Amino acid sequence: LAAGTATEAVAQLATPAWTVEVVRPAADLQTEVYGLNNLGQVVGFTSIPTTDGRLLRPFIYGNGAFTLLSVLVPSGPDPEELRAIAVGINDAGTVVGWSDDRYSGSFLYHTWTNGVRTDLQLPGLPVGINSSGQIVGVDGLLSFVTLNGVVTSFGVPGETRSVATAINDSGTVVGNYYDNYGSGAFLRAGSSVTLLSQPAGSYAKAN
């Protein structure tokens, strides 16, 4: 390389290809991010202080705009007793999440598309969503995946518990399994589950 070309190449390498952005609508609000799509939109929850405690409410953030997502009306008089969290978002902008109504003791599951909430019938907590709208999550000791409204629960053979954490646009699922000796990662393609190899004595997680 010529000297000038080499200098330019070094300068390009020294320039960060990313930026850090704080996702918080106000200084007194706490936020946690759980999901990110390829368009740079992120989702999670924000903790809003009230006179009686804090409200946990789901949000979507993108292009500098922070938007709270709609939630159910609590079954009791205290709005702080309803916690709602967004956990995943696909490239179509559809958000998946859940609510915990402490008055009724029930968990409720939702998607949001263009701000419109749809309540879902799922066996457990959703964790991820792909561009086709397939959802993965955990139901007690098993994982689950949806396809065209049909829910399939599955486990990892020989292991105590599994938690599906993500699904790509091909429908391949990754997640984690747990047993009496520790934890590891798995991949599910179709109906076939494969344990991901890891160094002896170490623990692996897939997200």
Side-chain angles (χ1 to χ4, degrees):
L1 291 175
T5 305
T7 301
E8 292 173 2
V10 171
Q12 290 175 0
L13 289 174
T15 303
W18 45 265
T19 58
V20 176
E21 188 171 351
V22 176
V23 180
R24 185 170 60 189
D28 61 343
L29 297 184
Q30 300 174 359
T31 56
E32 290 192 22
V33 169
Y34 283 97
L36 167 71
N37 68 10
N38 288 319
L39 303 179
Q41 295 173 297
V42 297
V43 296
F45 77 88
T46 186
S47 178
I48 305 170
T50 68
T51 56
D52 297 321
R54 303 189 78 89
L55 294 172
L56 297 188
R57 294 295 183 262
F59 73 84
I60 179 172
Y61 177 86
N63 296 321
F66 187 100
T67 304
L68 292 177
L69 299 170
S70 67
V71 298
L72 297 168
V73 176
S75 60
D78 188 351
E80 287 84 1
E81 294 302 312
L82 178 75
R83 302 181 302 169
I85 296 175
V87 295
I89 181 170
N90 64 19
D91 288 346
T94 299
V95 180
V96 67
W98 53 267
S99 301
D100 172 16
D101 188 335
R102 297 184 186 182
Y103 282 109
S104 65
S106 61
F107 280 89
L108 306 166
Y109 315 113
H110 325 285
T111 57
W112 293 266
T113 303
N114 297 322
V116 178
R117 190 189 74 246
T118 300
D119 300 328
L120 307 174
Q121 295 293 325
L122 295 174
L125 291 178
V127 179
I129 185 171
N130 69 8
S131 292
S132 298
Q134 287 183 274
I135 296 170
V136 293
V138 57
D139 174 21
L141 299 179
L142 298 175
S143 297
F144 71 83
V145 59
T146 68
L147 177 62
N148 299 324
V150 177
V151 178
T152 300
S153 297
F154 65 92
V156 176
E159 308 301 337
T160 304
R161 182 172 183 254
S162 71
V163 178
T165 57
I167 181 170
N168 68 13
D169 290 344
S170 298
T172 301
V173 179
V174 296
N176 307 306
Y177 65 86
Y178 304 86
D179 57 26
N180 294 331
Y181 304 100
S183 64
F186 72 84
L187 181 147
R188 183 180 189 265
S191 59
S192 176
V193 176
T194 302
L195 303 187
L196 302 182
S197 61
Q198 59 197 57
S202 66
Y203 301 107
K205 287 193 173 182
N207 292 291

